[in-house]
Amino acid sequence: MRELVYYVGVSIDGRIAGPGGEFDFYPEGEGTQFEAYRGWMLKTFPETVPTMIREAAGIADAPNETIDTLVMGLGTYRPALDIGVTSPYAHLRQYVVSSTLRESPDPAVTVVGGDPLGLVRSLKQEEGKDIWLCGGGKLAGAVWPEVDRMVVKSYPVVAGDGIPMVDGKFDPTFFAVTERKSFDNGVVVTWFDRRR
């Protein structure tokens, strides 16, 4: 069965974005540190790169190896809309969960007005590759029972305020660390599998 994978960048204090949705404060290093990190990320997670920058990143024709569908909240979708991009991940099936966006601005994007948990459960029953929970924190909290795996990019910065990684009720959930990779720029990528 397909799995729901929460692939996300996070600050030391557990924020995936600032209070205004900012995500440009994550330190990725410079020079060779940046190139080593970026090169590894592009090779390992090409599906997570927005379609509009895939050619410049040298991965325009990279196949979808592990993910073919994404689910995101309006807060995650909004920055693309603000610059006129209505289908930010055209190489994937795209679902936007929103109670305020009534119809999709693009035929390649499906807007779901309610029941994100039902949506995820339905998608997991279909044939295909894994499903990427792209963000944000409220959506992660709403679909938390169905998150099977997390890939967390931990950045060496404290945000102080902002959007939490999971915005939900108190519900301690145990995961097993299955892999970890550290980079010279201070970023640590950790794979977690839910303990069942």
Side-chain angles (χ1 to χ4, degrees), residues 52-166:
M52 63 187 239
I53 61 173
R54 286 169 65 90
E55 186 171 341
I59 58 167
D61 298 325
N64 295 335
E65 297 289 343
T66 61
I67 297 167
D68 64 9
T69 303
L70 76 78
V71 178
M72 62 182 147
L74 182 58
T76 302
Y77 186 42
R78 176 68 58 203
L81 288 179
D82 288 348
I83 60 169
V85 177
T86 57
S87 180
Y89 296 94
H91 55 285
L92 301 170
R93 284 176 59 200
Q94 304 165 89
Y95 291 86
V96 175
V97 177
S98 174
S99 60
T100 57
L101 187 64
R102 297 293 176 215
E103 54 186 65
S104 176
D106 193 292
V109 176
T110 301
V111 174
V112 178
D115 193 18
L117 193 56
L119 167 67
V120 167
R121 287 177 173 155
S122 174
L123 290 173
K124 287 174 82 171
Q125 296 302 314
E126 297 176 358
E127 292 292 322
K129 299 181 187 308
D130 287 340
I131 304 153
W132 172 24
L133 173 56
C134 185
K138 285 183 182 177
L139 180 57
V143 301
W144 189 243
E146 290 297 324
V147 173
D148 300 292
R149 193 169 355 112
M150 294 188 297
V151 179
V152 179
K153 301 177 293 179
S154 301
Y155 290 89
V157 62
V158 171
D161 190 11
I163 300 168
M165 187 175 116
V166 179

Side-chain angles (χ1 to χ4, degrees), residues 43-54:
K43 181 179 176 187
T44 309
F45 301 107
E47 298 98 329
T48 65
V49 177
T51 304
M52 63 187 239
I53 61 173
R54 286 169 65 90

Side-chain angles (χ1 to χ4, degrees), residues 23 25-38 41 153 155-156 183-187:
F23 55 88
F25 61 90
Y26 292 122
E28 295 185 329
E30 297 178 2
T32 57
Q33 285 183 345
F34 171 75
E35 290 304 322
Y37 173 67
R38 181 177 178 267
M41 296 301 291
K153 301 177 293 179
Y155 290 89
F183 295 88
D184 289 341
N185 62 359
V187 179

